[in-house]
Amino acid sequence: MLNRHTWPNRPGVRLVDTCPGRFMHVAEPVLDVIGPTGRLTAADLSPAMAEKARQRLGQSRNVSVAVEDGQALSFPDGSFDAVVCSLGLMFFPDPQRGLAEFHRVLRPGGRAAVSVNTVPERSYNTRINLAVARYLPSLAEAAARVFALGDEMKLRSLFEDANFRDVEIILQATVFTLPSFDAYFGPIEAGAGSAGQAFISLPAGVRRAVREELRRELGDAGGPIELEVEYRFASGRR
């Protein structure tokens, strides 16, 4: 997502990150890319996530933080050179409307870029959503949403229907090696991320069952574990 296509290579670039999230995976690195003359707006629907962004980014003078609905952004037309949305578009009730808003707030020639999960067996921790849903069927629809935009043709169609040009789709895969299953699952048990928050809300018996299912699924034999993870990235020009 953070490449030469995402924004024009010139001083004064204005960029909005519509889903900075708990860990600022895009917002923090992008500050190094846009430099001191650029301007980053971190916009999240959740006031709690916006506050976390303010705590982590607020000391940078070229950062502003706002509580915003990605499907109804308050910014004027043509406000930004780039819009990014990391692992967030699939949670929009209407992703098409969200992309239409991204298109609206872009200046001519600006680009929007998003990343999405592909399939559960090649996700890092969002695979837990489906494991949870197997024990709590009422959560099945929400769990499936996490992977709803992983198909390349569907993602391309969403961008093109939102009037983006020069749409590019790439698949990026990597392998994470962790020293143990506990090193992987510990942050989830502590409530990290959306998967962790879903996990800690479960009854104790269900938590134990989900943990054991994930342990078997990842082939835990008491030593290091490997996770093959992939994400699909899409971008388009206004």
Side-chain angles (χ1 to χ4, degrees):
M1 179 181 291
L2 301 180
N3 58 46
R4 64 185 175 85
H5 298 300
T6 309
W7 50 76
N9 186 17
R10 61 170 176 76
V13 166
R14 295 177 62 86
L15 181 144
V16 59
D17 181 354
T18 59
C19 293
R22 181 182 298 269
F23 299 110
M24 316 294 148
H25 291 306
V26 173
E28 287 185 328
V30 87
L31 286 174
D32 294 331
V33 178
I34 65 177
T37 64
R39 184 76 187 177
L40 168 65
T41 299
D44 202 295
L45 178 63
S46 165
M49 290 297 102
E51 180 58 30
K52 288 185 180 297
R54 188 172 288 108
Q55 292 170 3
R56 292 186 65 157
L57 306 172
Q59 293 183 351
S60 300
R61 286 182 289 181
N62 60 339
V63 172
S64 60
V65 178
V67 176
E68 291 279 343
D69 181 350
Q71 298 183 166
L73 297 169
S74 67
F75 310 115
D77 295 359
S79 296
F80 298 99
D81 298 291
V83 179
V84 294
C85 184
S86 177
L87 300 176
L89 187 64
M90 57 275 199
F91 296 112
F92 285 28
D94 186 349
Q96 185 73 72
R97 183 177 171 188
L99 285 172
E101 276 293 276
F102 296 176
H103 187 276
R104 180 185 66 77
V105 301
L106 281 171
R107 295 170 178 167
R111 292 191 75 94
V114 309
S115 61
V116 299
N117 293 297
T118 57
V119 293
E121 59 270 22
R122 293 182 180 173
S123 68
Y124 186 81
N125 60 4
T126 47
R127 65 179 68 207
I128 190 177
N129 295 67
L130 291 185
V132 169
R134 282 192 279 273
Y135 293 90
L136 295 176
S138 62
L139 299 179
E141 183 177 351
R145 182 185 294 274
V146 177
F147 306 98
L149 302 184
D151 178 74
E152 178 179 354
M153 294 304 296
K154 181 172 185 177
L155 196 55
R156 180 180 296 277
S157 177
L158 286 171
F159 267 78
E160 291 176 347
D161 288 347
N163 294 317
F164 282 99
R165 301 177 289 115
D166 304 329
V167 177
E168 299 181 7
I169 311 277
I170 64 170
L171 187 68
Q172 182 174 318
T174 190
V175 175
F176 291 92
T177 301
L178 292 96
S180 66
F181 175 77
D182 286 339
Y184 164 74
F185 206 73
I188 295 174
E189 289 182 303
S194 60
Q197 289 298 301
F199 179 80
I200 64 175
S201 69
L202 300 172
V206 176
R207 292 200 302 271
R208 287 193 296 270
V210 168
R211 187 185 193 281
E212 179 62 19
E213 182 171 328
L214 266 292
R215 192 187 65 78
R216 291 196 304 269
E217 183 179 309
L218 295 177
D220 177 34
I225 62 169
E226 289 189 348
L227 291 89
E228 183 179 351
V229 177
E230 65 181 20
Y231 300 106
R232 202 173 299 281
F233 295 85
S235 68
R237 187 182 303 278
R238 187 189 191 283

